[in-house]
Amino acid sequence: MKSKSRVAMLIGIMTVIMLMPIIPNYVATQTVQEAYAAGTADSEERTASYEEKAVDIVAYAKQDILTEESIFKGKAVATNTEYLAVMTEPDSSAEMAGKLFEYNIADVVSQDKGWTKITSGSLTGFVETNALCFDSEAESVAKLETEVSIVPASSEAVIYSSYAAEAEVVGTLTAESEAVPVSRIGDYVKILQADGSSAYVLGSETVIDYGFDTGLTIEEEAAKIAAEEAARKAAEEAARKAAEEEAARKAAEEARRKAIIERTISGTDFTYNPTMEISEDDLWILACIIDWESGWEPYEGKLAVANIVLNRVRSSHYPDTVHDVVYARSQFGGVLSGGQISSRFAERLANGPRTDECMEAALEALSGKNNIGNYTAFNGTEYIDFSRVTDYVIIGGHCFY
C-alpha cells in the first residue's frame, strides 16, 4: 500500500508540472517581453525543481517496491526416497539422462505441460513437475534436513547496512564468518549474522551453499558405483590382512609366552608344584604385575608381590582369580585407565616381564613359598604412615602389611 501511495503522489506531481502556466497573464509594471522573459525563467526554475524532486521520488519508490524473495527461488529439491528419473526429453518414454536422489537440489530452467527442465551439477534434463519441491517449499525442506550457509565468492565480500544504493559498509564476509542467508532483495542477499543482526551482501560477490548434493548423470552414477565397490573391496582386503597380521602377532606372542614359561620352569632350582590351579593367562598376568610393581626390587621383593596377589585370590574380601585381582579398580597404580587396561600395561603384557626373576617369583609363590604370611597390601615405604601400621615387613623399597 505504501508503494502505491508513492506512485499516486508521483502522478500528482507530474500533473501539476504539466498544468503549470508557462507565461504570466500580465505584469503591470513590465513590458510584454520582460514579463515573458521573467515568467519563462521562473517557470523553468520551478519546472527543474519539480523534475528533480520527481526523480528523487521515482528512485525512492523503485527502491521501496523491491520485494524479498526466497533464496530458493528458481530452485527445486527432490524428496523422493529412491530417485527421480531425469529424462533427455519431456516424455516419460524418452532416454534417461540421469537421476535426482533424495534431497538433491537443482536449478529450474523452465516449466511446461507438467515437466520441469532442470540442471543439477553436470546433469541437465526433464523431471515431472509434481515430483519436485520449489521455492519456499524447497526452503522448508532445507530447514528440516540441512543447514544453508553463505561464503564470499573470493577472499571476502562487503557487508552493507541495507540494500540502498548508498548503504553504509558495516563489515566484511569471510570464509570463517558465521552468516546465514535469509532472502534475496534485488541484487542483494539479506543475511543473519552471528550476533543476530541483519545485513546485506551483493549476490554477485557471494556463494550460497544450500547444503544439498546435486544429481548424477548415468555415467557419473556408474562411476560412483564402481568407486564404491572398489573401496568396499579394498576395505575388505585391508581388514583381512589386518586380521591375519593380528592372528600372526597373537600366535607369536603366545609362542613366546609359552617359551618363557617353559624355560623358566626348566631353569629354576625348585620344583614347580602349584598349590592353586591357575591358567597360563593368569600366570602371565601375575609375572607381568610382579615386573610392573617390583621389576627392579630384589628377588625377595618380587616374591612378596606375587604372594600379595595370591593372598588376595585366597581371601574372601577380594576377587577369586589373578585376572580379577590385578584388574580391580584402584588397586595397582597405572594398570587401568578410564576403567580399561592402560596402554602402558597392555604394552607390558605384550612384551612380557623384563627379567626371568619375575616369572620365577610367580612360579615359586604358586609352589607355596611365602615370605609375607597373610598380608594383602603393600606400598612404598615413603608413603606409609608407620604410626598406623603395627604388623608389617619391609623388603627393599616396599612395606608389606
Side-chain angles (χ1 to χ4, degrees):
M1 295 299 291
K2 186 183 293 184
S3 298
K4 289 182 178 178
S5 65
R6 286 187 174 140
V7 172
M9 184 188 300
L10 174 60
I11 293 171
I13 291 171
M14 298 306 295
T15 302
V16 171
I17 292 173
M18 292 174 64
L19 295 176
M20 285 174 52
I22 303 303
I23 305 173
N25 290 332
Y26 178 73
V27 182
T29 59
Q30 295 175 315
T31 66
V32 173
Q33 290 81 2
E34 290 171 338
Y36 178 80
T40 300
D42 183 56
S43 174
E44 289 175 350
E45 183 178 343
R46 281 182 292 168
T47 300
S49 175
Y50 285 132
E51 287 177 346
E52 183 178 350
K53 290 180 179 178
V55 169
D56 289 341
I57 292 172
V58 169
Y60 184 69
K62 281 184 177 178
Q63 173 180 303
D64 192 60
I65 63 175
L66 291 175
T67 57
E68 288 194 44
E69 297 177 329
S70 169
I71 57 172
F72 278 78
K73 183 176 177 60
K75 303 289 182 182
V77 172
T79 57
N80 55 298
T81 55
E82 189 177 0
Y83 70 86
L84 290 179
V86 181
M87 317 306 291
T88 56
E89 299 293 337
D91 186 336
S92 57
S93 62
E95 183 183 355
M96 188 184 296
K99 297 176 182 178
L100 287 179
F101 296 91
E102 187 175 23
Y103 303 127
N104 279 178
I105 192 168
D107 291 312
V108 175
V109 178
S110 62
Q111 291 181 318
D112 185 37
K113 298 178 180 179
W115 288 88
T116 297
K117 185 176 183 180
I118 59 93
T119 61
S120 182
S122 57
L123 173 63
T124 298
F126 297 85
V127 182
E128 292 185 13
T129 300
N130 60 10
L132 296 168
C133 295
F134 300 93
D135 302 343
S136 58
E137 186 180 6
E139 183 172 3
S140 297
V141 172
K143 287 179 179 178
L144 292 173
E145 301 296 336
T146 189
E147 293 183 359
V148 184
S149 58
I150 188 168
V151 294
S154 56
S155 59
E156 60 182 34
V158 178
I159 300 178
Y160 299 93
S161 61
S162 75
Y163 57 90
E166 301 299 326
E168 178 187 1
V169 174
V170 294
T172 55
L173 181 74
T174 67
E176 290 73 34
S177 300
E178 295 180 7
V180 178
V182 177
S183 59
R184 292 187 185 275
I185 305 178
D187 296 332
Y188 291 82
V189 177
K190 182 179 180 180
I191 62 173
L192 183 67
Q193 301 185 97
D195 62 1
S197 63
S198 295
Y200 299 82
V201 292
L202 281 168
S204 60
E205 294 183 356
T206 54
V207 176
I208 294 177
D209 181 356
Y210 291 93
F212 289 133
D213 291 332
T214 55
L216 299 175
T217 64
I218 295 298
E219 295 76 16
E220 286 173 337
E221 183 187 19
K224 180 182 179 183
I225 291 172
E228 289 174 346
E229 179 63 13
R232 183 189 65 79
K233 289 182 177 180
E236 288 181 351
E237 179 63 16
R240 184 188 64 78
K241 287 184 176 180
E244 288 180 351
E245 290 173 358
E246 178 64 11
R249 184 191 67 78
K250 285 185 175 180
E253 184 178 302
E254 179 65 19
R256 182 168 53 82
R257 186 171 67 176
K258 284 183 175 296
I260 291 173
I261 293 173
E262 290 174 1
R263 185 188 71 235
T264 308
I265 292 175
S266 63
T268 58
D269 56 2
F270 60 86
T271 300
Y272 176 49
N273 186 21
T275 57
M276 70 168 64
E277 186 177 342
I278 68 170
S279 66
E280 282 195 355
D281 284 343
D282 272 8
L283 176 57
W284 187 257
I285 293 172
L286 180 59
C288 288
I289 197 65
I290 293 169
D291 186 13
W292 185 259
E293 293 290 352
S294 57
W296 306 115
E297 291 289 318
Y299 179 78
E300 288 298 317
K302 294 179 177 66
L303 182 63
V305 170
N307 278 296
I308 287 290
V309 175
L310 297 181
N311 285 347
R312 289 186 182 187
V313 173
R314 296 185 183 100
S315 170
S316 60
H317 300 295
Y318 293 90
D320 56 5
T321 67
V322 171
H323 175 283
D324 291 348
V325 165
V326 171
Y327 296 138
R329 286 181 179 273
S330 305
Q331 296 302 304
F332 296 95
V335 168
L336 299 182
S337 176
Q340 303 296 321
I341 298 175
S342 69
S343 59
R344 288 180 57 233
F345 192 68
E347 184 179 359
R348 172 60 52 235
L349 289 172
N351 294 332
R354 289 167 290 183
T355 65
D356 284 350
E357 279 191 346
C358 296
M359 182 60 70
E360 289 177 11
L363 295 172
E364 191 163 22
L366 281 166
S367 298
K369 184 172 182 180
N370 188 334
N371 59 345
I372 58 165
N374 295 323
Y375 295 150
T376 57
F378 74 101
N379 210 335
T381 52
E382 67 271 29
Y383 303 114
I384 296 293
D385 181 359
F386 287 98
S387 65
R388 304 181 63 181
V389 180
T390 57
D391 188 13
Y392 61 87
V393 60
I394 295 176
I395 302 175
H398 286 142
C399 175
F400 298 85
Y401 55 95

